[in-house]
Structure formats: C-alpha cells, structure tokens
Amino acid sequence: MKQSKPSMHLSKQVVIGVQFLFVAFGATVLVPLLVGIDPSIALFSAGVGTLIFHLITKGKVPVFLGSSFAFIAPIVEATKLFGLAGTLSGLIAVGIVYIGMSALIKAQGLRFIERLFPSVVVGPVIMVIGLSLASVGVDMAKTDWIIAVVSLLTAIIVVIYTKGLIKLIPIFLGIVAGYSLSLILGKVDFTPIQEAAWFSLPPFVMPEWSWKAIVYMIPVAIAPLIEHVGDMYAIGAVADKNYVKDPGLHRTMLGDGIATSFAALIGSVPNTTYSEVTGAISLTKITDPKILRISAITAICFSLIGKVSGLLKSIPQAVLGGIMLLLFGMIASVGIRTLVESKADITKTRNQVIISIILTVGIGGAVIDFGNFSLAGIGLASLVGVVLNLVLPDTSKPVHMDDEH
C-alpha cells in the first residue's frame, strides 16, 4: 500500500545521500583498484553515469550505479591480452549489448531474456566469475597473511554479526581494519598520497579499437544483465512501485548501457545497477531518487580530490587480497543460490551437462581461436552455456519470475 511521505529537508537529504555513497564506496573503488584503473575515474564515471541513468529513467528509479564484481576477472584477463585501451573498446561493446537488450525487451517483453538466460546458465556463469580469480586473491593475500586475515575476518564479522547500514559495508570496514593494521606495522607506502595533488581531474584514457577485446567481453554482459532485472524488482518491491512497467525495464537497461559505454569512453570500469545499493534501499526504505542523485554528485566531487585517489592507491595488496578471499567465494555462492532459488532441477542429465561444461570451460581456461579472434574464460563459458541451452531445450524456470512480485 502506497503511503504519502512528508518531504524531507534538503540538509537531511544531503546527509543521507553522502551516507549512501559510503555504502557503495567499497564496491565502487575496489573494482578499479583490482583491475589497475585509477579509482578517481571510477568515482567520476559512477557519478556521471548515475545522473545519465536518472535522466533516461525520468528521475523515477532510486539507483546509484557502480561496477559489478562480475567484470573484475574478464577486465584483468583482457587487459593482459589486449591492453587497457583495447579492453575499453570491449567494455563499450558491453554497453551496446545492454542497449540492444533494451530494444529487444521493448519489442519482445521480459520473457525473451528469461528464455535465453535460464538459471542453469546464469547460476554456473556466476560461479565461474567468482572462482576464476580465486588464485589472484590468494597471491595478493600471501604477501602478508596476518594483514589479509584481519581484513577477511573483519568483513566476515560485519556480514554475519552486525545489523543496519553497518552490515552493508563489510568491504569498506574490512579495508579500514586491514589498512589500520598496516599502518601500525609500518607496511603502508605513503608515496601515492604525497605525490597526489589536492585537486586534479581524473586521468582519462581513450579506448583503442580491438575486435578481439570486443568478442572477448560481450558474453560477460550476461550475469550483470540478469542482476539488473532482479534489482529492478527488488527496488520496486521496497518502493511499492513497478519500475519494470514505469519507467519500464527497457529504460532502466538503456540507462545502464549508456552509462557503461560512457564510462569506457573515458577510461573507466562499467557502470551498472548492483546489489549493494539495492540492499541499502531495502534496509533503509529510502526510495527518493533525489537522494541517490546527491550521492552521484558527491562521488564526482570526491573524484576531483587527488588525495582521495592517492589514499586508495596506498592500500597494501594484502588488504585487498583478504577481501578478495571472501568476495569471490561469495560471488560463487550467489551462483549456487541462483540455482537453488529458481528450483532448477539439477537431477536432469540435460541440466547437469550444461552446468558441468560451463564450469569446466570457464575455470579450466579453455580458449577457442577464430583466425585472429579468440574467445576464452567467462565469455566463452557464457556463450557455450547459452548455445547448449538453446540446442537442448527445456522448461526449467527462469531466474526471475514476475509472478512473485
């Protein structure tokens, strides 16, 4: 039942808007730190991307955009293969996939996506995303296991034993705890902070055209695309509004797509709807889109303070490694939960085949070459899963059923 709420005073809106940024802060800056991109450009693109999203969705949806963890592994691998500038062209293509899906949803409806990406495809793809970087997390953590374990345990304690907004910032608090211990042990290099100017523009990077990177990155859009659908339902349930109908899922997905392509054009990580902010909205019941626009403006302001970027760059590898040990395992568990909650029948040989091949192809490092092109990792696993699902048709339930909402 809809309730009319009195308008909130602007000063209170600003305070809550800044608070929301800190809920999203850990995820927003962790992705660029792990893939080797300056965190200031990620804050800038997240802020601008969020404003773009609100413009496209007529200012109706309370969303703050950031980079999904699903992109970490493919960006790391693609950067090794094609360089950062080439990888950016692949990320532009990911945004274009979102835009194309937006058009298909407007023309065909949501069932089109549900048929193409059932849980037996999406679940194992999400598991591959989480597990494919497990060794990277361990390598970073073992640079100092004591610091890594403190970071990890702090995040675990926050996730399991705390309540309220604190529960939503385990990454942020884990990094704070690990960084504090690093300071005590003298393990922090202050050079990035000292060299950073107080005020500076983020370091923009121009993309370079790379067909290989585009082919590599496009299939990666599947998991965050499905996450977007779920988030729209979840936020709509809290606000008691049907955002899938108004302003329409085609508009929200278009907003994600244009924001992602914009981010890649200036050298940043993709900007999509993601679960941390959805969780914060569900907990606080604050659904005024204006507050999220304040968060976006705050992020842009932070991106112009060079010392903030310098501070983030000074975080020791062991701190990030400890967080990654939890993070990537949690992503894999989300994949398992996707299979369980959708009641996918994994006793069926057909479904076992699809799940098994996605996991072995994705984690095993399979590569398929097409002349000058190659497809590998999560992208290849996703494509194989979609193709197998189409050639081995089934009536298993999709990831998100609208009759539940």
Side-chain angles (χ1 to χ4, degrees):
M1 181 174 155
K2 294 180 182 178
Q3 298 177 352
S4 58
K5 298 181 181 178
S7 58
M8 192 183 297
H9 194 274
L10 179 60
S11 60
K12 189 175 181 182
Q13 288 180 333
V14 170
V15 170
I16 295 173
V18 173
Q19 178 179 265
F20 260 95
L21 176 61
F22 278 96
V23 171
F25 195 81
T28 304
V29 303
L30 185 63
V31 174
L33 285 172
L34 295 179
V35 303
I37 292 175
D38 194 298
S40 65
I41 190 70
L43 284 167
F44 181 84
S45 67
V48 175
T50 297
L51 296 178
I52 290 171
F53 179 94
H54 281 250
L55 179 66
I56 291 170
T57 57
K58 304 178 181 178
K60 293 182 177 181
V61 187
V63 159
F64 179 89
L65 300 189
S67 186
S68 169
F69 294 131
F71 290 108
I72 297 174
I75 291 176
V76 168
E77 291 303 316
T79 303
K80 290 178 186 175
L81 295 170
F82 317 114
L84 175 58
T87 300
L88 292 173
S89 68
L91 296 177
I92 292 172
V94 168
I96 294 171
V97 169
Y98 269 81
I99 295 168
M101 282 296 176
S102 165
L104 285 171
I105 289 169
K106 185 169 176 59
Q108 302 287 330
L110 181 59
R111 292 291 178 187
F112 168 78
I113 287 185
E114 293 177 338
R115 285 196 304 270
L116 203 56
F117 307 124
S119 55
V120 292
V121 173
V122 176
V125 165
I126 295 173
M127 291 166 67
V128 168
I129 287 167
L131 296 174
S132 60
L133 270 187
S135 61
V136 176
V138 171
D139 287 343
M140 292 174 70
K142 70 183 182 184
T143 57
D144 193 314
W145 275 112
I146 294 175
I147 292 173
V149 169
V150 167
S151 303
L152 172 62
L153 288 178
T154 301
I156 291 173
I157 289 167
V158 171
V159 164
I160 295 177
Y161 296 109
T162 63
K163 296 180 180 179
L165 276 176
I166 298 295
K167 190 181 183 72
L168 294 171
I169 52 173
I171 293 170
F172 181 71
L173 294 179
I175 290 174
V176 169
Y179 194 86
S180 300
L181 179 59
S182 301
L183 285 172
I184 294 169
L185 298 177
K187 297 289 183 73
V188 177
D189 180 5
F190 294 102
T191 306
I193 304 173
Q194 293 166 350
E195 291 180 347
W198 275 104
F199 297 101
S200 61
L201 284 173
F204 300 112
V205 178
M206 292 297 293
E208 290 179 3
W209 184 263
S210 170
W211 268 111
K212 291 183 179 181
I214 290 170
V215 172
Y216 185 93
M217 293 298 301
I218 280 178
V220 179
I222 292 174
L225 189 148
I226 295 295
E227 182 183 13
H228 174 94
V229 178
D231 286 340
M232 286 305 106
Y233 277 128
I235 295 171
V238 176
D240 196 19
K241 294 180 180 177
N242 190 340
Y243 295 126
V244 172
K245 289 188 177 178
D246 181 25
L249 189 66
H250 63 287
R251 279 187 176 271
T252 62
M253 198 163 284
L254 178 63
D256 270 21
I258 292 177
T260 290
S261 291
F262 166 78
L265 279 168
I266 62 173
S268 185
V269 289
N271 290 142
T272 59
T273 311
Y274 64 124
S275 300
E276 282 78 6
V277 171
T278 303
I281 290 167
S282 299
L283 183 70
T284 61
K285 307 295 186 287
I286 293 171
T287 55
D288 184 353
K290 188 187 296 182
I291 289 174
L292 281 300
R293 292 195 283 272
I294 291 170
S295 299
I297 293 167
T298 306
I300 294 169
C301 293
F302 273 25
S303 75
L304 302 176
I305 303 173
K307 294 294 184 187
V308 170
S309 178
L311 175 65
L312 296 170
K313 288 179 185 175
S314 71
I315 298 172
Q317 291 281 294
V319 175
L320 299 176
I323 297 298
M324 287 172 74
L325 292 178
L326 174 65
L327 174 65
F328 294 131
M330 289 288 282
I331 293 173
S333 70
V334 169
I336 297 171
R337 192 179 73 194
T338 299
L339 290 171
V340 172
E341 290 182 350
S342 66
K343 296 182 173 62
D345 186 357
I346 57 175
T347 63
K348 285 186 179 179
T349 304
R350 178 257 188 199
N351 290 347
Q352 290 174 2
V353 167
I354 294 174
I355 293 168
S356 301
I357 294 178
I358 290 173
L359 291 175
T360 51
V361 167
I363 298 172
V367 179
I368 294 180
D369 293 311
F370 305 95
N372 293 327
F373 302 110
S374 64
L375 193 59
I378 298 163
L380 177 59
S382 302
L383 189 61
V384 167
V386 170
V387 171
L388 284 175
N389 178 66
L390 293 175
V391 298
L392 303 172
D394 187 52
T395 55
S396 59
K397 292 184 179 180
V399 177
H400 302 289
M401 297 294 288
D402 30 359
D403 56 305
E404 293 176 2
H405 303 274

